Amino acid sequence: MKWKIDDIPVFVAIVEQGGISAASDVLGQPKSTVSTTLTRLEHALGLRLVERNSRNLRVTEEGEVFYRKALLILDQVREADATAAGMSAEPSGRVVAAMPPAFTQEVVAPHIAEFQIRFPDVSLDLVLTTQGIELLRDQVDLAVVVGPKVDSDLISRVLVAGPLAWVTSPSYASTHDLRGGIDQIRSHIRICEKRYGRARMPVRVDGVQTQIDLSTGVSHVNSPLVAREAVVNGAGVSALPRLYLRESLASGRLVEAFKNVTFDLDASVLSVVYPHRRLLSPRLRVFVDFLEEICRQR
Amino acid sequence: MKWKIDDIPVFVAIVEQGGISAASDVLGQPKSTVSTTLTRLEHALGLRLVERNSRNLRVTEEGEVFYRKALLILDQVREADATAAGMSAEPSGRVVAAMPPAFTQEVVAPHIAEFQIRFPDVSLDLVLTTQGIELLRDQVDLAVVVGPKVDSDLISRVLVAGPLAWVTSPSYASTHDLRGGIDQIRSHIRICEKRYGRARMPVRVDGVQTQIDLSTGVSHVNSPLVAREAVVNGAGVSALPRLYLRESLASGRLVEAFKNVTFDLDASVLSVVYPHRRLLSPRLRVFVDFLEEICRQR
DNA sequence: AAGTAGCGTTCAGTTTTCTGAACAAAGGAA
DNA sequence: TTCCTTTGTTCAGAAAACTGAACGCTACTT
């Protein structure tokens, strides 16, 4: 096929307007462009579509037949254009998001209903994952990941950045002496999240930089919620992101401990990563905004 | 609408082949062209159609929707292309031809049935006219005209070129002395076609160039058939194109006279004129060929 | 861990298309 | 018959698109 589909609207305009000058007015193109376009189409098709001189124009029989076919093409083109316009104008469709289980259960789940009310045409496909995510390979739209992700291709926006807090159950606190130096403090820590379970975890004790061993003899789990439940049930003291502690502290199920032992800022960071800032579809944009909003509220 | 319809086949190939390199192989285009074309389409639509890196490609949800619309466009494009290919390959449709009445009745009419058998999909619309023809103004495809028509725009092919012949009825010849000089000859000419009715019609008498007055005292008519019938019925001698004399001479209804008085060659010329040599539709081409053939046979 | 093949993207030079200006032609008005 | 207006066409310069070459990246192989 040697003809250009983009010549179709020009040909249709010539036929319908009855002339090249009139067609150029309607198309908003110079008449030399319109004239040359018609000539090119006729040569590519090997058909004389229009007989014309400076005063008369006559659509040939072949031109009439091709014109009707051209109208069908334009019908479909307008349909596609309208569909594309609709897609880029309002949020609809499915968002596939990979997120950590704890974050999803504790932070996102309570707000899903409200998101659905606001954006009825957007469906969520939430993929709880504990492995590293690659958007393209894993065929997901976006991901919430631990850390301030920096990637040359991806856009990263920090959702949560804050310190950890030491917590224990009231009963544990009332039956144990939580005072003392680093060694005494260390003896109370029996479980913590795996990501913090380092042999030399940097902390400040009374403002003085030091390190604490959260590796040897401390149980690890890759879920802040499980660590939290263990502590609620008497498993000593643990350091957890404040993100997951709001309700437990408010209800008194947990109490803060070791207030003189603090972590550096941003020990607990979660980011949302997605491929582009430009041409981000409306539904992705609103979901990212939604995640930012619910994290800001905590 | 800011996107190019010609980008559609490229987009469809990328989706169906699952990659830009594979699509470029199928399309026969450089991969830089394919890559740039996709990028341009996405920006024009304001939609990310395809997520991709050097190893993975994923069609977005918007891309899937637009792809289905694109398939509908391509369906119509293929339909139009096939229709155009059919039109340029075999003769069909209507030919509108303006021709002189005598020529049509005497030369063309006897062969119309045979043309219709050979080209069943071609219909003829024969316009008998005695006025000058302008193809575009009069909305006709071609015309048979008197003379070796030369026009900057039109193609002209001579159908008939030959001398006139002097004829009379046998009874006239047997009751009149047709011998003598130019003046005696002149006295027998009482009717001729208007186009030859000139005061100084060049002829050769016994090979010697001279002129004969066919204007004064000679009846004129713009039909060779009417002049012929008049002569058959005793109206003296007339000069007529051989084109119209074949049956009459063969049957003995007319006999030749003044064999020593001849006209210059090409006194009687008919040409077919049509707009173009290139891009001549098949049905016009076969009709022109048909006219040439039936004239050649006479 | 290092090397390799093949992917998609980008850039600068080449090619193609677009178009303003000028021209020839047609038809209407004077 | 002459003049004028508006048409469609053509050409040369400008603008846009194409593309070969080079590059960075990814995943597989050694």
Side-chain angles (χ1 to χ4, degrees), chain A residues 33-96:
Chain A
T33 304
V34 175
S35 175
T36 302
T37 298
L38 175 60
T39 301
R40 181 177 63 208
L41 180 60
E42 285 178 325
H43 279 83
L45 289 173
L47 290 172
R48 176 72 53 179
L49 300 171
V50 173
E51 290 292 353
R52 56 207 182 270
N53 68 11
S54 60
R55 273 289 174 261
N56 294 283
L57 182 141
R58 172 172 172 265
V59 182
T60 65
E61 194 161 320
E62 292 87 356
E64 282 287 346
V65 172
F66 194 73
Y67 166 71
R68 294 191 197 296
K69 298 296 182 181
L71 289 184
L72 298 178
I73 294 175
L74 287 192
D75 286 344
Q76 295 300 337
V77 165
R78 287 190 191 104
E79 183 77 14
D81 189 51
T83 298
M87 287 192 285
S88 65
E90 65 182 51
S92 65
R94 180 170 295 272
V95 174
V96 182

Side-chain angles (χ1 to χ4, degrees), chain B residues 40-102:
Chain B
R40 180 176 63 207
L41 180 61
E42 286 179 323
H43 279 83
L45 290 173
L47 290 171
R48 176 72 53 177
L49 300 171
V50 173
E51 289 291 354
R52 55 206 182 270
N53 67 13
S54 60
R55 271 282 175 270
N56 294 283
L57 182 140
R58 170 173 173 267
V59 183
T60 64
E61 193 162 324
E62 292 87 357
E64 282 288 346
V65 172
F66 192 74
Y67 166 71
R68 295 193 195 293
K69 297 295 183 184
L71 288 185
L72 299 178
I73 295 175
L74 288 192
D75 286 343
Q76 294 300 340
V77 166
R78 288 191 191 101
E79 183 77 14
D81 189 51
T83 298
M87 287 192 285
S88 65
E90 64 181 52
S92 66
R94 180 168 296 272
V95 173
V96 182
M99 300 192 292

Side-chain angles (χ1 to χ4, degrees), chain A residues 113 191-192 224 227 287 290 295:
Chain A
I191 191 169
C192 76
F287 189 66
F290 161 76
C295 290

Side-chain angles (χ1 to χ4, degrees), chain B residues 114 118 288-298:
Chain B
E114 138 197 3
R118 285 165 65 186
V288 168
D289 290 345
F290 161 76
L291 290 179
E292 288 186 318
E293 187 183 330
I294 63 177
C295 288
R296 193 182 305 125
Q297 286 171 353
R298 295 184 78 87

Side-chain angles (χ1 to χ4, degrees), chain A residues 214-232:
Chain A
L214 297 182
S215 173
T216 310
V218 176
S219 296
H220 296 149
V221 66
N222 68 339
S223 168
L225 306 188
V226 171
R228 189 183 68 195
E229 287 308 301
V231 167
V232 158

